[in-house]
Amino acid sequence: MDSEIKIKNLSVAYSGVDAITDISLDIKKGEFICVIGPNGGGKTTLLNSILGFLKPNSGSIQITDKNAISYVPQTAAIDRNFPISVLETVLTAFLKSGLHPFKSFSKAEKEKALNLLGEVGLERYAKRQIAELSGGEFQRLLIARALAANPRILLLDEPTANVDIASRDRIFSILKELNSKGITIITVTHDLAAVRSLATKTVAINRRLIYSGDCLLDQDIYRIMCGEVLSSESEADTDA
């Protein structure tokens, strides 16, 4: 299986404080990776490093095609009261830097945006303002927007946080379908159900890589999320 991303001895620090230290991972094409760990353990730092938002203090990240990555951020970081429609939100993915803010979108771009909304079950909401969407609907909108770039790799940060069970299951179904089409998915999550039902590989970090491999037992996942150290029998880095 071909590698999409190779991370070697990655270390990132903020103001002299280590966020992640000496992490190495080999992410293969078509994998569905759930990244778990305690709050402050470096999960989002890892995503931001892959995206190029953060510069490593040491180590390297090799990506087969940097233009093939799309990102779905945490919804908490976005102002949902901004006056923009569901369709317009997806269309913003077609904007290039330097273009006039009142650009007219082509028929093909509008059709593609509507098709993407259809993929996530939101086509009938195209003209609604984003403030009218539920948390789960808004998360699906962000996924549709990320898909506008035709990514080979999709990164998500807590995609099922603060949504109800029905919305969570709908998001799971969408992500599973995308993965079945060959999209490599890397998601940070605290959702045990996501790890159980979606992951082909579980990556656990708490500033350092403490596990990379098949899905862990539930009790070990809980312990990792609480910041506990796994027993020597459970600790492993199968990609090392």
Side-chain angles (χ1 to χ4, degrees):
M1 192 182 297
D2 295 335
S3 296
E4 290 279 21
I5 302 172
K6 286 188 176 183
I7 301 170
K8 187 173 182 180
N9 305 122
L10 181 70
S11 295
V12 179
Y14 304 105
S15 303
V17 178
D18 293 335
I20 52 177
T21 301
D22 198 30
I23 289 180
S24 294
L25 287 168
D26 188 359
I27 298 168
K28 305 291 188 182
K29 182 178 180 180
E31 286 190 312
F32 197 124
I33 295 176
C34 285
V35 181
I36 63 173
N39 290 331
K43 303 181 299 297
T44 299
T45 296
L46 178 63
L47 286 194
N48 286 336
S49 298
I50 293 171
L51 290 163
F53 297 161
L54 295 173
K55 184 177 179 180
N57 292 79
S58 61
S60 63
I61 302 175
Q62 295 181 335
I63 303 172
T64 303
D65 183 357
K66 293 182 179 180
N67 294 320
I69 296 180
S70 282
Y71 173 53
V72 179
Q74 290 192 44
T75 56
I78 298 171
D79 180 7
R80 292 181 56 189
N81 292 314
F82 189 79
I84 187 172
S85 73
V86 168
L87 179 61
E88 288 167 340
T89 300
V90 179
L91 286 170
T92 61
F94 301 124
L95 290 172
K96 307 297 182 184
S97 59
L99 286 184
H100 194 280
F102 299 106
K103 173 187 183 298
S104 295
F105 294 98
S106 68
K107 181 180 178 181
E109 287 172 331
K110 291 178 181 177
E111 287 179 351
K112 182 173 181 178
L114 284 170
N115 288 336
L116 290 170
L117 288 174
E119 285 188 34
V120 299
L122 292 177
E123 186 174 9
R124 64 194 177 103
Y125 299 148
K127 294 182 179 180
R128 289 193 184 183
Q129 294 292 297
I130 61 173
E132 300 177 54
L133 299 180
S134 69
E137 290 165 349
F138 187 68
Q139 190 65 57
R140 285 188 274 144
L141 172 60
L142 295 183
I143 293 172
R145 187 185 185 282
L147 294 176
N150 300 316
R152 287 212 323 257
I153 306 167
L154 185 62
L155 274 58
L156 305 99
D157 197 352
E158 299 283 6
T160 58
N162 303 313
V163 302
D164 60 32
I165 292 176
S167 295
R168 181 199 69 184
D169 290 346
R170 187 76 179 268
I171 292 167
F172 283 0
S173 178
I174 291 167
L175 295 179
K176 186 175 286 189
E177 176 66 18
L178 294 173
N179 186 237
S180 73
K181 294 177 179 178
I183 295 178
T184 303
I185 295 179
I186 306 167
T187 180
V188 166
T189 186
H190 278 92
D191 194 328
L192 178 60
V195 181
R196 278 205 228 100
S197 63
L198 298 176
T200 60
K201 180 190 289 183
T202 303
V203 170
I205 63 172
N206 188 358
R207 299 184 184 271
R208 294 179 178 273
L209 180 68
I210 56 177
Y211 183 84
S212 173
D214 294 337
C215 190
L216 292 161
L217 297 174
D218 287 0
Q219 61 264 33
D220 285 332
I221 296 172
Y222 278 122
R223 290 170 60 201
I224 288 168
M225 290 179 177
C226 291
E228 295 183 26
V229 177
L230 292 178
S231 66
S232 58
E233 290 80 11
S234 295
E235 284 190 15
D237 176 11
T238 57
D239 295 326

